[in-house]
Amino acid sequence: GAVVSQHPSRVICKSGTSVKIECRSLDFQATTMFWYRQFPKQSLMLMATSNEGSKATYEQGVEKDKFLINHASLTLSTLTVTSAHPEDSSFYICSARDPGTSNYGYTFGSGTRLTVV
Amino acid sequence: GDSVTQMEGPVTLSEEAFLTINCTYTATGYPSLFWYVQYPGEGLQLLLKATKADDKGSNKGFEATYRKETTSFHLEKGSVQVSDSAVYFCALSSNDYKLSFGAGTTVTVRA
């Protein structure tokens, strides 16, 4: 079945630095990818929708200059947390939609645990 | 807008007990409904889905039926195992393909 690879699985960075998280669809082309943020013991919050070849669409309240999304190819989307601060520490999960499987072809990455110290 | 209301947890059960997690939704149009499962430290895995009214999704002994009249999609399993311990999320997707998630229910099954 469809596989989405997310990397890294864990990252610790210093406050003020930037971190890039990659999300790859391994066996299908994903024109649309989604980035979520999950706080401990809470649900997933959609941050943005990443569209190949165009600008990402951010949800209300998400700073687009802080969470830079690039979807330069049909198999890769990246999320860069710029000038990270401890409050950005969270679990980030991407998902990709396989257009060949209608509107229930969502596959999730395994997530990235970001800790900002 | 779309929203999902899910039974609050945590839920603690003994092995072989019956599990039910309630889920109701609000959506425009005719959404697709999903249950996802998240094991500790991992991403989400699709457990089952239903795309139209009266559809029953099933997988690994879990079932849920799309009830349009009650706008519900309750998850059930007749006999849980320790390996079913996880967080379960109810979700829906409308025409814009975005997923809206419920708050998640933590289930712990004790031997």
Side-chain angles (χ1 to χ4, degrees):
Chain A
V3 177
V4 170
S5 174
Q6 187 172 341
H7 179 79
S9 58
R10 292 178 179 272
V11 58
I12 300 173
C13 71
K14 291 185 177 180
S15 189
T17 61
S18 295
V19 173
K20 180 185 284 187
I21 303 169
E22 293 187 347
C23 181
R24 294 181 184 271
S25 57
L26 295 186
D27 49 4
F28 65 99
Q29 294 183 329
T31 54
T32 305
M33 291 186 175
F34 303 90
W35 287 96
Y36 295 85
R37 183 173 181 176
Q38 186 181 29
F39 292 99
K41 300 186 187 299
Q42 294 187 30
S43 188
L44 282 73
M45 181 186 76
L46 179 64
M47 298 174 66
T49 303
S50 170
N51 299 296
E52 187 270 334
S54 64
K55 291 184 178 180
T57 304
Y58 290 82
E59 296 300 302
Q60 192 172 7
V62 178
E63 298 176 61
K64 61 181 180 182
D65 294 331
K66 177 154 190 70
F67 299 100
L68 299 178
I69 292 172
N70 184 281
H71 194 159
S73 78
L74 286 170
T75 59
L76 174 64
S77 176
T78 61
L79 168 68
T80 301
V81 183
T82 63
S83 187
H85 289 93
E87 57 266 30
D88 299 324
S89 299
S90 192
F91 193 57
Y92 294 87
I93 306 176
C94 71
S95 76
R97 192 175 75 84
D98 183 348
T101 58
S102 185
N103 67 342
Y104 45 82
Y106 300 95
T107 303
F108 284 79
S110 55
T112 297
R113 172 74 60 195
L114 171 63
T115 303
V116 184
V117 297
Chain B
D2 296 345
S3 68
V4 177
T5 301
Q6 188 174 338
M7 183 177 104
E8 286 189 24
V11 175
T12 302
L13 302 165
S14 297
E15 254 189 331
E16 299 184 2
F18 183 85
L19 170 68
T20 181
I21 304 175
N22 290 339
C23 172
T24 58
Y25 67 90
T26 303
T28 53
Y30 303 97
S32 294
L33 303 175
F34 310 84
W35 277 99
Y36 283 88
V37 58
Q38 183 180 34
Y39 298 101
E42 298 183 14
L44 271 68
Q45 300 175 28
L46 178 65
L47 181 59
L48 53 84
K49 62 183 184 295
T51 58
K52 61 183 187 297
D54 299 325
D55 268 3
K56 177 187 282 188
S58 61
N59 185 28
K60 299 181 181 180
F62 289 90
E63 292 184 342
T65 301
Y66 189 144
R67 301 288 188 199
K68 186 169 180 291
E69 63 277 13
T70 55
T71 62
S72 65
F73 193 54
H74 305 322
L75 182 68
E76 297 181 338
K77 185 173 185 180
S79 177
V80 294
Q81 305 299 315
V82 172
S83 57
D84 294 324
S85 298
V87 182
Y88 293 83
F89 293 95
C90 185
L92 70 82
S93 174
S94 291
N95 293 332
D96 63 1
Y97 302 116
K98 293 180 183 178
L99 279 172
S100 297
F101 286 90
T105 302
T106 300
V107 174
T108 303
V109 181
R110 295 183 173 167

